[in-house]
Structure formats: structure tokens, C-alpha cells
Amino acid sequence: MLTEFGITFAYHRMVVHKAFEAHPVIKAITLALGSMAFQGPVLHWASVHTKHHAHSDQEGDPHSPTIGGFIHAHFEWLLEMNSASLNEVVDKWGGRYKKDRMIMWFSDTFLFWAVLSLIIPAVLGYMAGGWHGAWTGFLWGGLVRIFISSHVTWSVNSVCHFFGARTYTTTDKSRNNPVVGLLALGEGWHNNHHAFPASAFHGLAWWQLDVTGLSIALLEKLGLVKKVTRIPETLMTKRRIDSQSAALNVQELALTEEPVLEDA
Ligand SMILES: [Zn+2]
Ligand SMILES: [Zn+2]
């Protein structure tokens, strides 16, 4: 949960989408947690995700079930990515992250945090039950934890562009999936997210549980997070698929030859 939170809160909403500004201590702790999720240095993750928003479900999207198929979007794209193609993505989409010294420091020290995330559960296990406990801790708190949290994050890229309801007009096929919404701490409300990428909250209806969003609101009350981006009700209504203006919007989009890109 903690390392997954590092991904949703820090890597995704804070770094890529600048949905809020966090106190430097909160920023550092959550970037460390995100690095411990074993999903790569924040600079790489953020660059790939920026490209995803720029080309969502179109040619150039690093992971789209529409373009490359479900398994490709889930994790095959990771296997295909070599360091040359990753460097290309970082060069093209990572410029603005390189200006942030803390982001760069956590990217440079990624391996330390990743290995630490295996050592901590092993040490806790050792303290509880000797060498057998150390192995149990390493297995469940390390390997199994990484396996499960990776599949949860990958499901946002695959499941949430394939299964679920669409509430808002977007140029991609993003969907709101309640199961991924729960498991990925709010990130499964992915149609909402593609409609309003800058929003600190992905759950936009009262029943759409968004643990990351609730944490942002709590930290804001405590004064540890500021400049929280909220989408005005009028804009949300305008973009609803069932509203008239949204129907017109779709017609306009269909008439546009160039894909309309959301601001990442
Ligand atoms: Zn997406
Ligand atoms: Zn995003």
C-alpha cells in the first residue's frame, strides 16, 4: 500500500500532473516510497507517462490496448523497451523533470531505494522469527508485494483503457473501472483522469472511492500540501458524455483531422 501510494501520490499526481505542491519532507518521503515500488526511477516513469497522455490510444502511445493489444498494454511494452528507446523517451518528454533537483536525486539513487525495499521486510521478518522469518519477509514483503503492486499499476494502463464506463468525452478510450479504482488507490477512475489530467482527485463522484485523493485533501488540511487543483463543477458538467454540449464536442473532435492532445 505504501509503495503503491508513492506511485499514485508522488510519481503520478505530484510529479507528472503537478496536481498539487507538497511540503519538501512529504515530497521526499513519497518519492522514496514510489522508488521502492520497483517501477523504475521517477524520471523514466514520468517521461513514459507524459508520452502516454500526449498520444493516448493513438500511434506513439507506449501502452495502448487499442493499438498493441491487451497484453502489450499490460506489460509486454516493458519487455520491448530497451535502454536506447527509453533514453529517447526521456530526452523528448523528460525535460521539465530534469529541472527539479529532488526528482533527479531520487532518480539517481533509485537502485538504493529499490534494494532497501527488499531489505526492510527481510530485517523485520528476521526480528520476528530469525532466518526463517527473514526469508518469509523477503518473499512476501519483497517479491510478492512487487508482483501484486506491479499488476495493479499495469492494470491502469490495460484494464482502464478497455473495461469500464465512460463518463466524460476524451479523445482516447479511457474508462472508469471500480475494481482498479479500489486496488490502485483511486487511479482506476481513469476516464475522469484523462478528461481532467490536472485534477488532484480522480474520483469525481461521491461514491468513487479515491484513497490518494482523500489523502491529498487530508494533507492539505494539515498544511502539508498546497495549490491543490480542483475542476469546477461547470466544466465537469460540460464534458459529460450525456450532456448536449459534450455531444457537440464529440462531433467537433470527429471533424478534426489532427488528434486533439490533452495537456499532460
Ligand atoms: Zn491512460
Ligand atoms: Zn496521468
Side-chain angles (χ1 to χ4, degrees), residues 12-13 16-17 45 49-50 52-53 156 187 190 193-194 197-198 202 264:
H12 191 203
R13 300 191 201 188
V16 178
H17 295 294
W45 199 104
H49 190 67
T50 306
H52 168 61
H53 275 273
V156 178
E187 306 264 300
H190 201 56
H193 173 55
H194 273 280
H202 292 193

Side-chain angles (χ1 to χ4, degrees), residues 12-21 96-97 198 227 229:
H12 191 203
R13 300 191 201 188
M14 178 179 74
V15 171
V16 178
H17 295 294
K18 292 188 164 49
F20 57 87
E21 271 176 26
R96 61 197 179 104
Y97 308 118
K227 296 189 182 165
T229 305

Side-chain angles (χ1 to χ4, degrees), residues 165-195:
R166 284 176 55 76
T167 312
Y168 297 103
T169 51
T170 61
T171 52
D172 51 57
K173 299 195 159 50
S174 56
R175 279 143 204 284
N176 288 334
N177 186 293
V179 178
V180 185
L182 272 177
L183 293 175
L185 310 179
E187 306 264 300
W189 310 113
H190 201 56
N191 172 241
N192 297 352
H193 173 55
H194 273 280

Side-chain angles (χ1 to χ4, degrees), residues 68-255:
F70 187 87
I71 298 294
H72 184 267
H74 195 62
F75 67 87
E76 217 174 37
W77 67 275
L78 272 167
L79 305 175
E80 282 173 10
M81 195 157 245
N82 55 34
S83 57
S85 58
L86 183 62
N87 285 340
E88 224 171 87
V89 175
V90 172
D91 281 345
K92 175 133 195 241
W93 303 96
R96 61 197 179 104
Y97 308 118
K98 290 182 185 164
K99 291 180 198 144
D100 187 313
R101 285 177 60 192
M102 198 191 286
I103 290 176
M104 288 312 287
W105 188 80
F106 275 99
S107 286
D108 292 340
T109 56
F110 167 73
L111 213 57
F112 166 79
W113 300 104
V115 172
L116 186 67
S117 86
L118 296 173
I119 294 174
I120 291 173
V123 169
L124 290 175
Y126 181 79
M127 281 158 36
W131 286 110
H132 180 73
W135 165 247
T136 309
F138 174 76
L139 181 67
W140 289 92
L143 303 184
V144 176
R145 181 257 313 172
I146 291 168
F147 177 83
I148 293 172
S149 64
S150 298
H151 275 284
V152 167
T153 300
W154 298 340
S155 295
V156 178
N157 301 332
S158 58
V159 177
C160 292
H161 277 261
F162 211 79
F163 300 107
R166 284 176 55 76
T167 312
Y168 297 103
T169 51
T170 61
T171 52
D172 51 57
K173 299 195 159 50
S174 56
R175 279 143 204 284
N176 288 334
N177 186 293
V179 178
V180 185
L182 272 177
L183 293 175
L185 310 179
E187 306 264 300
W189 310 113
H190 201 56
N191 172 241
N192 297 352
H193 173 55
H194 273 280
F196 310 107
S199 174
F201 307 98
H202 292 193
L204 295 178
W206 66 267
W207 52 271
Q208 293 176 336
L209 183 65
D210 176 7
V211 174
T212 309
L214 291 171
S215 312
I216 293 167
L218 176 68
L219 287 167
E220 186 187 29
K221 281 212 164 65
L222 297 172
L224 295 169
V225 151
K226 57 182 185 181
K227 296 189 182 165
V228 177
T229 305
R230 289 179 167 84
I231 306 301
E233 201 73 47
T234 46
L235 183 59
M236 285 199 261
T237 311
K238 218 176 142 193
R239 292 285 298 271
R240 282 187 74 93
I241 283 173
D242 52 16
S243 83
Q244 252 192 337
S245 53
L248 285 171
N249 197 2
V250 169
Q251 279 178 1
E252 278 164 26
L253 293 176
L255 291 171

